[in-house]
Amino acid sequence: MEKKKRYLLNCEVCDARKMHENLFDPYDEVVINADVLLVNEDARRNLSRYPIQLNVDNIVEAEGDVDVQVQNGWMELKCGQMPARKTVLVVNGGLAISPGTEELLKNYLAIIVNGSVRYPESLSAGLTRMKVNGKTSVYPDDCIILKGSAKIDAYFPLRAEAGARYYAERRVVLLDEKLDVAALAEKQVRFETQELLVTESNVEAAVPLVGAATTLTVVPDGCAYVDEVDGVSLDERLLRKYGKKLYINGDLSLDANSTPYLAQIEYLYVNGTVLLLPEQKDAFLALNVDYKMMIVRSGLQIANRLKAFVGPDLLDETPLGITIQDCVQVILEDDLTAGQIQEKLKFKDCMEIICSEAQKQAVQMVSENVARINTDPGKGSKEEEDAFDGVRINAESYVL
């Protein structure tokens, strides 16, 4: 295979303003993959001299000294954090912008947020140079910020400021049995939020705490709020910890061991997906449960793995078959037949499935949204590496 002289740059921010006009003369192919490209008049002229493949999300015009800041994770912009010079900011995660930062924001040529951003209403007009690839949350300036889903405990009325407004992006939870909701109303506390979660006995006292646009979700007295990052399973631990009346903010999974616990549930609200077995569906629906989505399992579920290995022995142990979902790499043993794959396997939202040539057609028939079916792992990457001759650069920020 004939080798091409290539220049490949992968970075968050590429500064092309100091690029030499002959920089790419030695290369047959130039590819620049960047979130942000900094240019000026000279850079535009020099780049235009070459057939460059530019995969760039944002092009920013910049003159003079410019700082580049890449933040991975959570970041907050506050008063007093004035950058020393003009700055391009890229945030991969979350950004919170505090009130009163109008002058600070003037020093940012561009703010790129790959994730979520939160800021007060008064800053909306001054954020024209911000681009958000994700969720934007805007709140009234005079609000005190709470967690996105704020659980209000029994001591909150003692600490709350009289007449104060509190902001919770998603919901406010008033389920603590010791909480005096009437005391919050007496202090004229207000919550700005999408949903107010309250018990039946406290509805009347809670109504003055929110505006008409807030969704009021009423649950029985004694209901517990369950909010665990990875979802929960219906088992003895769940009922012992939270009781038999549950509001689950997330997903609920049932397996074969969950069936006896269905009869113990007195109230259930699932603000997420319910995953259960076919034989559990009727009993579950008889509970009159509120839920967002239901998925009836078809055998074993394998999900969210970096690598998943599947062979005949595993299929023999799962008569209802296996669904493999959201895995980075799935490896099939060579002795799996095409018939076994078609009858007992399903692949969904996986990055790569490694199989033999004889298995490939069967894999294609039972795959949904699979990025790559690879019958010869290593060959493609080796050939690509052998054919590559030139410069490959991976960096957060790079100056040409």
Side-chain angles (χ1 to χ4, degrees):
M1 180 181 293
E2 182 182 353
K3 292 186 177 182
K4 289 184 177 181
K5 192 79 170 179
R6 297 177 179 176
Y7 185 101
L8 174 60
L9 172 60
N10 302 305
C11 63
E12 295 276 359
V13 181
C14 174
D15 188 346
R17 296 173 302 154
K18 298 179 181 180
M19 170 187 165
H20 191 276
E21 63 179 3
N22 298 321
L23 175 64
F24 295 132
D25 283 355
Y27 303 101
D28 301 304
E29 182 181 352
V30 178
V31 179
I32 297 177
N33 301 312
D35 200 358
V36 179
L37 177 66
L38 297 183
V39 298
N40 55 16
E41 187 176 341
D42 289 340
R44 287 186 179 276
R45 182 177 60 254
N46 292 332
L47 289 169
S48 68
R49 297 180 64 245
Y50 302 96
I52 299 174
Q53 181 179 331
L54 273 179
N55 302 315
V56 175
D57 291 331
N58 308 277
I59 297 178
V60 178
E61 294 279 351
E63 297 289 348
D65 292 335
V66 175
D67 282 344
V68 174
Q69 183 179 0
V70 179
Q71 174 71 31
N72 296 315
W74 179 259
M75 180 180 183
E76 187 170 1
L77 292 179
K78 299 179 179 179
C79 295
Q81 296 179 338
M82 187 72 71
R85 55 179 64 87
K86 296 294 184 181
T87 300
V88 172
L89 173 63
V90 178
V91 179
N92 299 309
L95 175 65
I97 307 175
S98 298
T101 52
E102 289 86 351
E103 291 302 314
L104 180 151
L105 291 169
K106 292 177 182 178
N107 281 274
Y108 287 92
L109 292 176
I111 299 175
I112 313 298
V113 181
N114 299 310
S116 62
V117 65
R118 183 186 73 211
Y119 57 85
E121 291 174 346
S122 61
L123 295 181
S124 298
L127 290 172
T128 56
R129 289 177 288 186
M130 181 172 71
K131 180 179 178 181
V132 182
N133 302 310
K135 186 176 183 181
T136 298
S137 176
V138 183
Y139 62 90
D141 284 61
D142 60 347
C143 280
I144 299 169
I145 307 299
L146 302 175
K147 290 183 178 180
S149 291
K151 293 176 65 176
I152 306 302
D153 61 27
Y155 302 103
F156 189 88
L158 301 176
R159 306 191 308 269
E161 299 177 17
R165 287 208 293 176
Y166 293 87
Y167 174 79
E169 182 181 345
R170 292 181 292 278
R171 66 183 58 82
V172 170
V173 180
L174 304 180
L175 300 188
D176 191 322
E177 292 182 334
K178 297 179 181 179
L179 173 64
D180 187 351
V181 177
L184 291 173
E186 289 172 8
K187 293 184 91 170
Q188 296 184 323
V189 168
R190 293 274 293 183
F191 294 109
E192 299 293 335
T193 189
Q194 296 181 39
E195 179 187 26
L196 182 69
L197 188 58
V198 63
T199 56
E200 292 172 342
S201 62
N202 282 322
V203 173
E204 188 174 348
V207 167
L209 303 178
V210 294
T214 298
T215 299
L216 199 64
T217 300
V218 182
V219 300
D221 288 13
C223 184
Y225 179 74
V226 182
D227 189 6
E228 297 189 9
V229 175
D230 297 323
V232 293
S233 299
L234 181 57
D235 53 22
E236 183 178 1
R237 183 201 73 87
L238 180 70
L239 299 186
R240 279 182 176 272
K241 183 175 182 179
Y242 295 104
K244 300 175 182 180
K245 300 177 183 179
L246 305 169
Y247 179 106
I248 298 174
N249 184 41
D251 298 335
L252 174 67
S253 298
L254 286 74
D255 57 22
N257 297 321
S258 302
T259 303
Y261 300 107
L262 283 169
Q264 299 182 40
I265 295 293
E266 297 177 10
Y267 174 83
L268 183 60
Y269 188 113
V270 182
N271 188 29
T273 300
V274 177
L275 297 94
L276 44 67
L277 299 172
E279 59 270 25
Q280 296 169 330
K281 183 177 179 180
D282 289 343
F284 182 83
L285 293 176
L287 297 174
N288 195 26
V289 177
D290 287 312
Y291 57 90
K292 297 295 184 184
M293 181 185 299
M294 176 185 290
I295 297 176
V296 179
R297 297 182 186 272
S298 55
L300 178 66
Q301 303 285 316
I302 298 175
N304 302 311
R305 304 277 184 88
L306 288 177
K307 283 190 176 182
F309 297 87
V310 183
D313 291 343
L314 182 59
L315 289 186
D316 289 342
E317 296 171 1
T318 52
L320 292 177
I322 304 173
T323 298
I324 301 175
Q325 184 170 352
D326 295 315
C327 292
V328 175
Q329 189 179 71
V330 182
I331 301 172
L332 304 186
E333 294 183 10
D334 289 340
D335 47 355
L336 270 177
T337 67
Q340 288 175 309
I341 293 170
Q342 288 181 249
E343 182 182 352
K344 287 193 171 184
L345 285 177
K346 290 182 180 179
F347 305 102
K348 185 177 181 182
D349 300 325
C350 295
M351 288 293 294
E352 181 182 46
I353 299 173
I354 295 177
C355 63
S356 68
E357 190 65 41
Q359 297 168 333
K360 183 176 181 179
Q361 187 173 0
V363 170
Q364 289 174 327
M365 294 178 67
V366 295
S367 295
E368 178 183 343
N369 195 26
V370 170
R372 185 183 185 194
I373 299 174
N374 189 357
T375 59
D376 194 356
K379 179 181 177 182
S381 58
K382 185 176 186 301
E383 287 183 351
E384 181 182 346
E385 189 65 33
D386 289 343
F388 190 93
D389 180 24
V391 175
R392 181 190 281 115
I393 301 168
N394 299 305
E396 275 196 348
S397 61
Y398 191 78
V399 180
L400 291 177

